[in-house]
Amino acid sequence: MDARLQPVIRIRDLRVEVGGRLLLELPALSVQAGERVALVGPNGAGKSTLLKVLGGFMQVTRGEVTVLDRGLAGGAAAPTRQQLRRLRADIGQVMQGLHLVPRLSALDNAVLGALARPGAMPLWRSWLRWYPPPLREEAAAALAELGLAHRRHARADQLSGGERQKVSLARLRLQQPRLILADEPTSALDPSATRQVCQALLSVARQATLVTVVHDPALLPVLADRVIGLQGGRVVFDVEHRHLTPDLMHRLYAGEADRSAAPTPTEPPSKALYP
């Protein structure tokens, strides 16, 4: 079977509660290899919670979650710390906090992405900042492609928000993940920086599956071919972008979404959305 048709995310009967409060309830959800999926919905809809579940950062109350053929919950035993580290090496994350090392340069932060690649760089080299020359060159090229060649030696805490976001994407390029989870990657960026970051994210995700939390509807045609609307922790629509209507979006954010308003498939489309 074509690898691009294999699900990289499989969810069944998922329920996440914290303190008795429902955060997420998904009867079934699958994402195929190569898909670009946007999660949309009002604040508190469960978008960021879903990303945390997929990254193994949140315990589920009930259900089965499989990411990149590794079980995070359900029938299989809970993953060990080592198993989680191996899984996260294959998952690139672009979160609002970015998780850059403030005192390190843009170049050093980008090189650290290679730690996730088997055999690319031992951990002790990162402690000494003794990076293999080929990886330094690869990181420098990634930063240059993002327009940051002149800022490669600047500390991360001296960069603007847009520049830090670009550094996180350069680090992602060095990581070479199979799945990318992005939580509002263009948050608080000006239009010019937003365009650059979106282009960079798509470039990095060319050989990966991309799941992005999107708040600006104008970015949906750029970042996704499939749009999942969440409200109150539940899926209210799951459609290809070409089937998304202004009425669906209005009702979603107005709190009037109806599960019958649009198809909500329990399985992915019969073929990958990207040819």
Side-chain angles (χ1 to χ4, degrees), residues 229 231 235-238 247-248 251-252 255-264:
Q231 187 185 95
V235 172
V236 294
F237 63 75
D238 182 348
D247 182 61
L248 275 179
R251 295 175 67 185
L252 178 68
E256 302 170 357
D258 184 338
R259 293 191 189 202
S260 65
T264 307

Side-chain angles (χ1 to χ4, degrees), residues 37-186:
V37 179
L39 305 178
V40 299
N43 292 334
K47 305 180 299 296
S48 296
T49 297
L50 179 53
L51 291 192
K52 290 176 183 177
V53 168
L54 296 177
F57 291 102
M58 178 165 282
Q59 187 173 2
V60 308
T61 307
R62 183 189 71 210
E64 299 182 7
V65 179
T66 303
V67 177
L68 298 174
D69 296 320
R70 294 151 187 168
L72 292 178
T80 64
R81 290 185 179 181
Q82 185 177 21
Q83 288 171 331
L84 276 177
R85 282 197 297 270
R86 289 174 179 169
L87 172 62
R88 290 169 184 161
D90 285 332
I91 299 177
Q93 304 204 38
V94 184
M95 300 302 169
Q96 295 181 47
L98 298 181
H99 305 302
L100 299 181
V101 182
R103 69 179 184 279
L104 294 185
S105 70
L107 183 66
D108 288 349
N109 270 284
V111 171
L112 292 180
L115 286 172
R117 288 157 51 180
M121 180 172 63
L123 182 60
W124 64 267
R125 281 183 173 269
S126 69
W127 297 338
L128 300 175
R129 302 187 196 177
W130 186 11
Y131 310 121
L135 290 182
R136 291 183 63 87
E137 294 171 5
E138 187 178 344
L143 290 170
E145 184 178 337
L146 293 165
L148 288 182
H150 65 299
R151 299 287 278 162
R152 64 185 182 276
H153 296 305
R155 283 172 47 130
D157 56 7
Q158 297 173 342
L159 300 174
S160 68
E163 289 172 334
R164 288 195 297 272
Q165 194 69 284
K166 292 176 184 178
V167 172
S168 74
L169 292 174
R171 182 181 60 190
L172 214 61
R173 187 178 293 280
L174 269 287
Q175 180 184 347
Q176 298 178 357
R178 294 170 56 194
L179 170 65
I180 297 175
L181 307 175
D183 193 353
E184 297 184 63
T186 61

Side-chain angles (χ1 to χ4, degrees), residues 207-239:
Q207 303 300 322
T209 303
L210 176 63
V211 180
T212 311
V213 171
V214 178
H215 271 199
D216 183 357
L219 298 179
L220 292 176
V222 179
L223 292 175
D225 271 6
R226 176 181 173 191
V227 183
I228 298 175
L230 291 168
Q231 187 185 95
R234 298 179 173 91
V235 172
V236 294
F237 63 75
D238 182 348
V239 298

